Amino acid sequence: MLLVLNQRPLCVNCDWLSISVRIDVHGTVTAPDGMRVESLCGTNIFKERYIMYDANGAKVLTFCCNPFSSAIPDVVGSVQIANPFLYNADKGWLESLLPHLKRATFNGLSRWDICCDFVPTDAEYKTIRKLTEGSQYVSGKSAGSIFWHSETYKEREVRMAHCLSWGSPSSSCKVKLYNKSLEIDAAHRERCVKPYILEEWEYHLPNITKVWRLEFSLTDCNQIAFDGRRLMFSDAFDSNVLCRVFADLKRKSFVVRMNQGRRKGHKNEDAIVDFLPFNLEGIKSRPAQAITTREPLTEQRQLARHLLLHMQDKTVMMDTYRYSAIRSLLFDLAENPVVAGYLDSMCDGSFAHFVERNDMSIGTGVFDMAAEHFE
């Protein structure tokens, strides 16, 4: 979702959503029309786990039920929404899927991550550097891990921080500030692991290779009251709720101060640093277009994935005609650089080399590798 604050574009979204549901223990898990459900082995907490896929083969949600521990009621289950559907999804459509999961009804939010993507100003870059040095700090939050990487700067290698975190393991509100462009490899679109985020940035933000994210992870959401009521499933996607809750969390849980030594107990007179101003007065927002199906580009990625899995099937490898047809179609799909990057990531770096090894292993010797597509 795009926000324009003092002529500065920001992207505020829900990045993780797990909900608690109440189920009918005698109910069944069914697939809506055009979708399918797959039953998998359970987790450390629940004996049963199901994954629901849409018509294009994309994972929509994970549903867990039947707890091992008697301390958890049998009627309690858990639903986690897949990350792509948190950015461009119809909340009404997602909620309509719950009755198919043993007649599940919403019980409460289990984990809710709210994030704001932005391109830092020069002053904000300095603040990030000072937070890593310790000359500035986040008031009231215990500092967590700092992750580093190496970059070449003025012909020499320097160490740069790309992820800072705050909040103890038991905290109900953890905070992260990190280089999101680096995490999803936004500089190389063909290798970007989350193209749906990149598409939003390209449309709204000025420089997709320098985007940082401030993220709040809430794990005890039932204690949060919004306008005097508890949060509901639809609130997790509502642009008004997202902005107001993010603004309140930033005001209370991410106050950056200079380390001037003016802290005495609960009294803190260290100067406050103005980092990522987020005043909702006069703010303009525009939610992303709601969709219930995947973008065409993602459909190509899903098709490429299924074809690649089929090509590794022993019965297909023994059938030269089927193998050749699948292989040819994969190379056609790989003409799209994003699909090519996706295939490379599934083949440990090089799709062309993977196919070459496959060809040699079955001894066909009749295929033109056309490796120039990937050079």
Side-chain angles (χ1 to χ4, degrees):
M1 177 187 66
L2 170 68
L3 298 177
V4 180
L5 181 60
N6 296 329
Q7 298 184 345
R8 181 184 188 182
L10 308 170
C11 290
V12 177
N13 288 291
C14 167
D15 189 64
W16 184 293
L17 181 63
S18 297
I19 65 172
S20 170
V21 294
R22 296 183 67 86
I23 65 170
D24 179 355
V25 293
H26 302 296
T28 58
V29 178
T30 60
D33 291 342
M35 302 178 69
R36 66 182 180 89
V37 173
E38 184 177 311
S39 176
L40 302 176
C41 60
T43 66
N44 293 334
I45 300 175
F46 294 98
K47 299 176 186 177
E48 300 177 34
R49 179 164 62 107
Y50 303 88
I51 296 181
M52 183 177 287
Y53 299 89
D54 69 4
N56 300 311
K59 183 172 79 170
V60 178
L61 58 82
T62 302
F63 170 58
C64 299
C65 61
N66 195 1
F68 283 103
S69 174
S70 59
I72 304 175
D74 290 341
V75 295
V76 172
S78 174
V79 175
Q80 179 186 335
I81 307 299
N83 189 259
F85 286 88
L86 297 176
Y87 284 82
N88 295 309
D90 182 346
K91 59 188 177 184
W93 175 71
L94 289 172
E95 196 165 11
S96 71
L97 301 177
L98 296 184
H100 293 273
L101 309 174
K102 296 191 175 184
R103 293 194 282 274
T105 56
F106 176 78
N107 192 38
L109 300 181
S110 300
R111 176 178 166 184
W112 187 29
D113 289 8
I114 308 174
C115 60
C116 177
D117 297 334
F118 63 101
V119 177
T121 62
D122 290 342
E124 288 167 348
Y125 271 120
K126 290 180 181 179
T127 297
I128 294 171
R129 177 172 53 82
K130 290 179 179 180
L131 284 169
T132 63
E133 296 171 350
S135 57
Q136 293 182 4
Y137 64 96
V138 175
S139 178
K141 303 292 286 186
S142 58
S145 303
I146 299 178
F147 296 90
W148 305 81
H149 69 283
S150 297
E151 283 188 5
T152 302
Y153 180 72
K154 292 184 178 179
E155 299 182 352
R156 63 188 181 93
E157 194 172 272
V158 295
R159 202 169 68 134
M160 306 285 288
H162 63 263
C163 180
L164 300 87
S165 62
W166 296 268
S168 66
S170 60
S171 174
S172 60
C173 178
K174 299 180 181 65
V175 186
K176 277 204 312 182
L177 177 64
Y178 58 106
N179 188 330
K180 190 66 178 180
S181 292
L182 184 66
E183 184 197 54
I184 68 173
D185 202 0
H188 304 90
R189 185 182 178 90
E190 68 279 3
R191 298 203 302 261
C192 180
V193 295
K194 293 185 177 181
Y196 48 91
I197 294 180
L198 196 61
E199 288 168 11
E200 182 181 58
W201 290 354
E202 287 177 332
Y203 191 71
H204 299 312
L205 300 182
N207 190 335
I208 63 171
T209 63
K210 296 183 178 181
V211 179
W212 280 68
R213 169 172 288 188
L214 177 60
E215 181 177 278
F216 297 96
S217 181
L218 309 175
T219 54
D220 197 4
C221 303
N222 287 329
Q223 294 187 11
I224 299 176
F226 182 78
D227 286 344
R229 60 174 177 81
R230 73 183 186 119
L231 290 166
M232 303 302 293
F233 181 77
S234 58
D235 291 329
F237 304 94
D238 187 275
S239 58
N240 179 49
V241 177
L242 282 170
C243 291
R244 289 172 60 185
V245 173
F246 182 87
D248 193 56
L249 288 169
K250 184 184 177 302
R251 180 174 58 87
K252 295 178 179 178
S253 302
F254 196 75
V255 180
V256 180
R257 293 179 181 268
M258 295 182 183
N259 200 347
Q260 298 172 317
R262 298 178 183 175
R263 286 180 288 178
K264 292 183 180 179
H266 294 291
K267 189 176 182 180
N268 192 340
E269 295 182 354
D270 285 345
I272 295 177
V273 179
D274 192 18
F275 182 86
L276 188 62
F278 204 90
N279 185 350
L280 289 183
E281 293 181 5
I283 200 166
K284 298 179 181 178
S285 67
R286 179 156 58 90
Q289 182 182 4
I291 58 173
T292 58
T293 57
R294 308 286 286 181
E295 296 292 333
L297 181 60
T298 309
E299 292 177 4
Q300 291 182 20
R301 285 158 52 98
Q302 291 296 330
L303 176 60
R305 175 180 178 274
H306 288 302
L307 288 173
L308 188 65
L309 293 175
H310 277 300
M311 193 171 72
Q312 299 173 67
D313 187 271
K314 290 183 178 180
T315 58
V316 173
M317 295 177 71
M318 293 174 63
D319 188 332
T320 304
Y321 177 78
R322 289 176 63 193
Y323 179 86
S324 177
I326 292 175
R327 181 184 176 284
S328 176
L329 183 55
L330 278 169
F331 272 103
D332 289 342
L333 289 171
E335 292 287 343
N336 186 313
V338 178
V339 177
Y342 179 69
L343 287 170
D344 284 342
S345 67
M346 291 188 65
C347 301
D348 296 326
S350 175
F351 167 64
H353 291 163
F354 169 82
V355 176
E356 185 176 11
R357 290 193 300 270
N358 244 31
D359 292 346
M360 295 176 63
S361 68
I362 62 177
T364 58
V366 297
F367 300 116
D368 174 21
M369 290 306 300
E372 64 269 14
H373 291 295
F374 301 92
E375 306 211 350

